[in-house]
Amino acid sequence: MSLQDQILADFSATLTDPDGPAQVAAVAGKDIRVIIDQPGITSTDPRTGLMICRMDLYLRTDDLGYRPLAGAEVEVAGTTWYVEHPYPHGPGVTRLALYRHAG
């Protein structure tokens, strides 16, 4: 196993470690252990002039049960976000790049 494969496998294990940095969040109506890269206002939508918040959400692919496509709505902790890009992030882990209008 390469070093990168080992790191990615460890990251997958981190999501299931009850004493690790993962937290439980309601995603698409299910409580799932996730790691959230904190959202921040990063840019202005040129179409609307509104500020856009972004965050990355890391989760086990099997926990979600499906792979959202770009543009899909995903509710996280009661807030609607939109999938900008779904990325495989190693064995069994998905990174969802999410965005929403600030406000």
Side-chain angles (χ1 to χ4, degrees), residues 32-46:
I32 298 175
R33 293 188 61 79
V34 300
I35 295 177
I36 298 175
D37 184 5
Q38 294 300 318
I41 298 172
T42 59
S43 61
T44 302
D45 185 333

Side-chain angles (χ1 to χ4, degrees), residues 14-15 17 20-26 32-36 38 57-58 77:
T14 297
L15 285 167
D17 180 359
Q23 63 191 53
V24 176
I32 298 175
R33 293 188 61 79
V34 300
I35 295 177
I36 298 175
Q38 294 300 318
L57 184 73
Y58 297 87

